Amino acid sequence: MSIELSMPKSWRQETKPHKFCPGCGHGLVLKALGRSIDELGIQDKVVFGCDIGCSLLAWDFFNVDTVQTHHGRTTPVITGIKRARPDRIGVAYMGDGGGYAIGSQHLVNAAMRNERITAILVNNANYGMTGGQMAPTSLPGMKTETSPYGRDPEHTGMPMQGPEMVAAIAREGAYVARGTIANVRQATTFIKRALENQMAGNGFSFVEILSTCPTNWSTNAKDTWHFVEQEMPKYFKVGEIKVPGTKEE
Ligand SMILES: Cc1ncc(C[n+]2csc(CCOP(=O)(O)OP(=O)(O)O)c2C)c(N)n1
Ligand code: SF4
């Protein structure tokens, strides 16, 4: 018997070192997703799609069927899988660059067509994997590799309000929320509800999660947490935005 086979089954299935930088929020978002999948008992049904960007580091994170797509194309790839196999639970996982810049048309069209998939977008206010360029979500005045004097809203606009846009164009049955890694319990609830919405066949489900990128923000632990907990919510309101069966719908 090999050493690996002699390990407890739960250890082999549930433990894996992640590859994100220390202090990165991706791991917490994925933990929230993994916990939701476990609690719903849908591990055998989930098809997980991860974008190019640091989200791709999750390609072998879960013991679920996984596809790694081109940058910005995770939403249409998962849409195609879901259309071919409606019995599956499709999860499209991406960064803000992937979802709001290069892949924004896919997000818009999936929302307008009310595709029965769940999209989870990690908003860390920059392009993480490529070295910290300005993203549609970068905050006014935020210094990035491509805005060394700080983002100037007069010339580059205000931060993208993704969930608000999706809620405005989505059809009846869509679920839309914004969570934060500063409140993982709440973020888990939102992700779980987004999966349940797909399981009920209601419609498109979209959850943005405010997250950290200390490597490119060049912040220590204290400042990293301050930025995600205090600064980002000034521009990105945390909470549920569209819930089927309520007056917010
Ligand atoms: C078609 C295409 N354009 C550009 C790139 C280069 N690229 C790779 S990752 C990335 C940005 C990723 O940023 P984001 O989507 O915000 O995810 P993060 O890394 O911050 O999680 C870019 C521009 C690419 N791989 N493919
Ligand atoms: S570059 Fe940023 S988003 Fe990417 S793994 Fe490191 S901290 Fe996370």
Side-chain angles (χ1 to χ4, degrees):
M1 187 181 285
S2 72
I3 291 175
E4 193 188 343
L5 286 175
S6 68
M7 290 171 184
K9 202 175 169 207
S10 61
W11 193 95
R12 276 187 281 128
Q13 288 183 335
E14 293 170 12
T15 302
K16 184 153 198 152
H18 69 70
K19 306 163 201 137
F20 305 106
C21 307
C24 177
H26 270 287
L28 287 172
V29 183
L30 290 163
K31 182 176 180 180
L33 173 61
R35 181 167 289 177
S36 302
I37 291 170
D38 280 351
E39 286 178 9
L40 293 169
I42 54 173
Q43 183 180 0
D44 293 342
K45 286 188 175 173
V46 167
V47 179
F48 176 72
C50 49
D51 207 60
I52 292 283
C54 291
S55 60
L56 74 81
L57 299 172
W59 72 272
D60 64 347
F61 201 80
F62 293 124
N63 191 11
V64 301
D65 288 340
T66 299
V67 56
Q68 204 268 299
T69 75
H70 283 188
H71 192 34
R73 313 302 173 215
T74 310
T75 300
V77 168
I78 290 298
T79 295
I81 290 171
K82 180 71 180 182
R83 284 182 173 218
R85 290 289 303 270
D87 56 314
R88 292 304 193 108
I89 308 296
V91 178
Y93 183 76
M94 68 203 83
D96 41 8
Y100 295 152
I102 193 168
S104 56
Q105 79 275 32
H106 301 304
L107 184 63
V108 167
N109 289 321
M112 292 195 75
R113 292 193 307 255
N114 211 21
E115 299 289 351
R116 268 78 174 161
I117 66 166
T118 299
I120 299 171
L121 186 146
V122 176
N123 175 1
N124 56 21
N126 81 133
Y127 284 17
M129 176 158 270
T130 41
Q133 294 82 10
M134 194 181 87
T137 46
S138 297
L139 271 48
M142 186 174 167
K143 289 184 178 165
T144 70
E145 282 293 299
T146 48
S147 60
Y149 303 110
R151 179 176 187 172
D152 177 1
E154 194 183 331
H155 299 292
T156 60
M158 290 296 281
M160 167 91 183
Q161 303 286 307
E164 287 78 1
M165 179 200 71
V166 171
I169 61 176
R171 304 229 306 262
E172 197 178 321
Y175 175 85
V176 184
R178 180 186 285 113
T180 168
I181 63 157
N183 188 342
V184 176
R185 184 177 294 190
Q186 181 196 56
T188 308
T189 300
F190 293 167
I191 290 173
K192 197 171 167 186
R193 286 183 183 157
L195 291 168
E196 286 173 328
N197 197 50
Q198 179 180 171
M199 291 162 75
N202 288 342
F204 189 59
S205 310
F206 180 68
V207 183
E208 177 190 291
I209 307 284
L210 305 181
S211 184
T212 50
C213 180
T215 300
N216 291 308
W217 293 355
S218 302
T219 44
N220 61 21
K222 186 166 166 275
D223 292 344
T224 300
W225 202 247
H226 175 82
F227 194 78
V228 71
E229 194 180 41
Q230 306 293 334
E231 297 302 321
M232 293 181 79
K234 290 179 184 169
Y235 296 92
F236 307 115
K237 190 165 177 256
V238 173
E240 289 181 310
I241 299 168
K242 193 170 169 63
V243 182
T246 67
K247 64 179 168 42
E248 281 80 33
E249 187 176 27

